Amino acid sequence: MEKDRKSEKAELRQKAEEFVKHEPSKTSEYISKAEALLIHELQIHQIELEMQNEELMRAKAIAEAALDKYTYLYDFAPTGYFTLSKAGEIIELNLSCANIIGKDRSNLKNRKFGLFVSEETKPIFNHFLEEIFHTETKECCEIKLIQNDDVQIYVEIVGVVSENRENCYLNIVDITERMKAEEEIKLKNEELQKANAEKDKFFSIIAHDLRGPLGNYMGLAQIMADELPTLKINEIYKISKALSDSATNIYHLLENLLNWSLIHQGLLTFNPLVIQLLPLVNESIEVVLETAKIKGIEISVDISNNLQVFADKNMLQTVIRNLVTNSVKFTHKGGKINISAQNNDDKSVEISINDTGIGMDKDILDNLYRIDVKTARKGTEGELSTGLGLLLCKEFIEKHNGKLWVVSKEGKGSTFYFTLPIGD
């Protein structure tokens, strides 16, 4: 280093002497040689100083340009940069940092950064600041800041201690969108896991419920095959009736399961039309009239001839058939079922199916539309039930932007209500 400085001085001296050599001599002939030498040295020194001054001016201009460039890059960097003291006071910050905090930069200097940290994440930030000065290594934390109007944002801060260990240099990035995306993904995953668990449980219930009627059907068919020649007519009739009931239960369960599967895959066609409600209801309940007759249950329909709804015919028939079948299933012999409908003020039609059956308690009502909870019970004559029909009804009604609900009391019967758009 010392050699470099001596070399620079020698080079500067040489340049000055060259300059003086080519300058006209201003020395008087009446001065001594010593005085002439002194004047020469002074001239050399003056030229050296002038050359050094020019070099300093050029260096200053370069430094100022670099400082302007650095200041511009610092202020307008997309990432926030700031400097904190050991006490957590803001010493310096760029515009991006001020924007992230949500305050004017001039109002932030010398203020404690912790004032803008949310209460729940303040302990995280305080620990982060302590670690920076204690470990002298790069530290990182994720906290929440409170902006104007109590708006909270997530930020990531990375920092290191300064050379004098009195300050620390930090950069800050707004990660709110990333955190929202991560939270959304987390919620979606939780919902997906829950849905998968519910469906697994649901299919387990369906498999169990299918086993019953299929087992009965196979057992009865085996009896028919093995003992038909020895069976009496009334015995054959009873077995045939039982076979028919088992086959009907299996068919209805598979039909509901297929429709439920199709609607969840988005493959079930939804084609709403203006429909006369009364003829459709009469057509839908034909399949349960014989069962109701055997149990001595009276089914009445109280619907105006000119009442219309805007609905998908197949879906509406499935809803009415399932609800009326349930009412017949859970109503004792000699009971009554009434189907009625009326216009609402909100341009919808409210349809109700009321029965004098066994009703439902609170536990059943609370879990009525959960696919992972078995709420099905046997009917008053031991009829099998899966609960899938109600799930299907609810989804079909919601497909029409309607709603389905029930009012029931154990031992007093149930009334199912659902709404559909009016058929203007």
Side-chain angles (χ1 to χ4, degrees):
M1 197 72 176
E2 185 67 28
K3 288 182 179 180
D4 290 341
R5 281 199 291 269
K6 287 181 178 180
S7 177
E8 288 176 4
K9 286 182 178 180
E11 185 178 348
L12 186 62
R13 171 82 183 191
Q14 184 179 355
K15 288 180 180 179
E17 287 181 346
E18 287 290 328
F19 185 82
V20 171
K21 187 185 295 185
H22 293 89
E23 281 288 304
S25 177
K26 299 177 181 179
T27 306
S28 170
E29 56 183 330
Y30 301 107
I31 64 173
S32 66
K33 288 184 177 181
E35 290 175 329
L37 182 61
L38 179 60
I39 292 171
H40 177 76
E41 286 297 323
L42 288 173
Q43 287 176 332
I44 294 294
H45 187 60
Q46 180 182 358
I47 292 170
E48 285 179 337
L49 289 175
E50 289 175 354
M51 293 174 69
Q52 284 179 333
N53 186 55
E54 289 177 2
E55 187 64 30
L56 286 173
M57 293 298 291
R58 282 195 297 271
K60 181 183 177 184
I62 293 172
E64 288 177 346
L67 179 61
D68 289 343
K69 184 178 181 181
Y70 167 78
T71 303
Y72 178 84
L73 292 174
Y74 177 79
D75 276 344
F76 296 100
T79 302
Y81 295 106
F82 62 112
T83 305
L84 291 186
S85 67
K86 274 187 175 181
E89 293 176 344
I90 301 172
I91 298 171
E92 189 58 69
L93 74 163
N94 68 351
L95 292 174
S96 293
C97 180
N99 289 335
I100 290 173
I101 298 174
K103 306 285 184 184
D104 188 83
R105 181 162 62 170
S106 61
N107 296 327
L108 289 171
K109 287 187 179 181
N110 301 320
R111 296 185 68 184
K112 287 201 172 184
F113 185 80
L115 294 173
F116 311 106
V117 180
S118 70
E119 288 299 324
E120 60 183 298
T121 60
K122 195 167 287 186
I124 297 174
F125 174 73
N126 292 337
H127 177 72
F128 160 77
L129 203 58
E130 289 175 6
E131 287 296 302
I132 286 180
F133 289 102
H134 178 69
T135 64
E136 299 186 26
T137 59
K138 183 170 72 172
E139 298 293 331
C140 176
C141 73
E142 291 181 358
I143 58 174
K144 283 197 288 187
L145 297 184
I146 303 173
Q147 293 183 327
N148 297 326
D149 302 322
D150 293 330
V151 175
Q152 293 191 355
I153 65 167
Y154 290 92
V155 297
E156 180 183 62
I157 302 179
V158 179
V160 293
V161 70
S162 64
E163 294 82 357
N164 62 11
R165 294 180 50 78
E166 294 299 319
N167 304 322
C168 61
Y169 306 123
L170 309 166
N171 77 302
I172 181 170
V173 179
D174 186 345
I175 58 170
T176 304
E177 292 303 317
R178 190 195 81 189
M179 295 296 288
K180 285 182 179 178
E182 289 177 358
E183 187 66 25
E184 187 174 348
I185 291 171
K186 181 182 176 183
L187 289 174
K188 292 293 182 186
N189 284 336
E190 289 175 355
E191 290 174 2
L192 184 60
Q193 290 174 2
K194 182 181 177 182
N196 285 336
E198 288 178 347
K199 286 183 180 179
D200 288 344
K201 180 75 173 180
F202 170 69
F203 286 124
S204 172
I205 292 170
I206 292 298
H208 178 271
D209 290 338
L210 264 175
R211 189 180 300 165
L214 275 173
N216 290 340
Y217 189 89
M218 291 170 63
L220 292 168
Q222 189 65 45
I223 292 173
M224 289 282 283
D226 294 342
E227 302 179 17
L228 183 61
T230 62
L231 292 175
K232 296 178 182 180
I233 294 296
N234 63 326
E235 292 175 329
I236 294 174
Y237 172 77
K238 287 181 181 179
I239 292 174
S240 299
K241 178 67 171 60
L243 281 171
S244 176
D245 290 343
S246 293
T248 301
N249 285 332
I250 294 169
Y251 175 79
H252 285 156
L253 175 57
L254 290 176
E255 183 183 37
N256 285 339
L257 187 59
L258 176 62
N259 284 331
W260 185 85
S261 174
L262 289 174
I263 197 170
H264 275 264
Q265 295 179 67
L267 300 176
L268 196 64
T269 303
F270 179 60
N271 184 30
L273 302 167
V274 176
I275 299 171
Q276 292 291 127
L277 185 58
L278 180 59
L280 183 134
V281 169
N282 288 332
E283 182 182 342
S284 301
I285 65 175
E286 282 183 3
V287 293
V288 296
L289 289 177
E290 184 60 30
T291 305
K293 183 178 178 182
I294 293 172
K295 292 183 74 172
I297 296 172
E298 178 187 339
I299 299 179
S300 61
V301 180
D302 184 17
I303 298 175
S304 171
N305 286 322
N306 59 357
L307 189 57
Q308 296 179 325
V309 293
F310 186 66
D312 181 287
K313 181 179 179 181
N314 293 328
M315 289 187 183
L316 182 53
Q317 284 183 323
T318 299
V319 170
I320 293 172
R321 185 169 63 247
N322 270 289
L323 292 178
V324 176
T325 298
N326 278 351
S327 290
V328 171
K329 192 178 296 181
F330 296 108
T331 298
H332 289 290
K333 288 183 176 181
K336 294 182 179 182
I337 297 172
N338 178 257
I339 306 168
S340 61
Q342 63 180 19
N343 284 329
N344 286 336
D345 294 336
D346 60 354
K347 292 190 176 180
S348 68
V349 174
E350 182 181 290
I351 302 166
S352 64
I353 298 173
N354 169 263
D355 64 59
T356 59
I358 61 176
M360 291 174 278
D361 61 22
K362 187 177 183 302
D363 288 340
I364 294 177
L365 289 171
D366 289 344
N367 296 297
L368 204 56
Y369 304 110
R370 288 186 57 181
I371 66 174
D372 60 329
V373 178
K374 185 174 177 63
T375 57
R377 304 168 294 169
K378 287 187 177 182
T380 56
E381 298 294 313
E383 302 99 324
L384 297 174
S385 174
T386 65
L388 178 58
L390 281 179
L391 288 173
L392 195 62
C393 290
K394 185 174 185 294
E395 298 202 18
F396 278 177
I397 294 302
E398 289 175 352
K399 190 80 171 174
H400 290 79
N401 293 321
K403 60 180 181 178
L404 171 70
W405 71 100
V406 60
V407 176
S408 183
K409 188 173 182 180
E410 193 171 14
K412 299 294 184 180
S414 303
T415 303
F416 279 87
Y417 299 89
F418 64 93
T419 58
L420 293 170
I422 195 168
D424 289 336

